[in-house]
Amino acid sequence: MRITKWLWGLWVAMILSMLMRRQADTYMIVALIIIPILIVLMDLHEEIATLKEENKHQRKFVMDRYNILSERMTDVANQIEKRLVVDFAEFAQNNPQQANGEPPRLPPAERQMRRKLKKRRRVEPEKTGTLLPDFSEMADKPASSDTDQPENKA
């Protein structure tokens, strides 16, 4: 039998004894007030103990799950790292650098395309948007009179 049942029994016995004697004792009245409070506090203490026990089990479960997930994350990270190392190794084998440290050469078709682009850039210069007039057109025109251009006499 739980102690709370014994305390409730004591409380009822105290009330019955006061009624049978037809006399209210101060200590009995104080005890009648304190005993129900004591019973409630004991029930709360018991509930707190059960909650702590449940919390301990839940914390253990959560920590176990956390450990399992962190192990899986490290495994996945290691696998990804190994794959990256293998991919870089394959890339290095497919694109070997020259002995003197120069970058690998482009295939012939790409080299020809780059040469053509460079030639086009040289032939068709970009307009810079300056405020100075373009004197290249004036140099191409022949002089119409002798006063336009000074003569060089040696």
Side-chain angles (χ1 to χ4, degrees):
M1 215 179 220
R2 289 181 26 186
I3 194 157
T4 55
K5 291 183 181 179
W6 285 104
L7 287 173
W8 280 117
L10 176 65
W11 189 70
V12 170
M14 289 172 68
I15 291 176
L16 289 175
S17 71
M18 278 186 9
L19 290 175
M20 290 174 78
R21 283 193 293 161
R22 294 185 183 171
Q23 184 180 359
D25 189 14
T26 309
Y27 294 117
M28 292 284 263
I29 293 173
V30 171
L32 288 175
I33 294 171
I34 290 177
I35 288 178
I37 296 171
L38 179 65
I39 293 171
V40 169
L41 286 174
M42 288 178 65
D43 286 340
L44 287 175
H45 180 71
E46 192 174 315
E47 285 183 35
I48 289 172
T50 56
L51 288 174
K52 282 183 179 179
E53 189 69 25
E54 288 176 8
N55 190 16
K56 187 190 324 178
H57 291 296
Q58 287 178 353
R59 186 181 301 133
K60 184 179 182 295
F61 174 76
V62 168
M63 289 304 294
D64 289 344
R65 293 299 298 167
Y66 174 76
N67 290 335
I68 290 170
L69 290 175
S70 65
E71 288 174 5
R72 285 185 184 171
M73 289 294 290
T74 54
D75 290 343
V76 167
N78 290 337
Q79 289 175 357
I80 290 173
E81 184 178 351
K82 287 177 185 176
R83 286 181 189 164
L84 284 174
V85 168
V86 169
D87 289 345
F88 280 124
E90 289 175 0
F91 178 76
Q93 287 176 354
N94 292 340
N95 298 321
Q97 290 190 351
Q98 296 178 354
N100 58 2
E102 293 180 10
R105 300 196 72 180
L106 295 173
E110 288 184 34
R111 275 188 267 161
Q112 289 175 354
M113 290 296 292
R114 286 195 179 191
R115 285 182 193 151
K116 288 180 182 177
L117 286 174
K118 285 182 183 178
K119 285 181 184 177
R120 284 185 191 163
R121 287 182 190 153
R122 287 183 200 150
V123 172
E124 301 171 6
E126 297 178 11
K127 294 191 178 182
T128 58
T130 61
L131 298 175
L132 298 174
D134 189 16
F135 292 108
S136 61
E137 295 174 3
M138 294 173 69
D140 293 340
K141 293 181 183 178
S144 59
S145 67
D146 292 337
T147 58
D148 288 346
Q149 290 184 352
E151 294 180 9
N152 289 336
K153 295 182 180 177

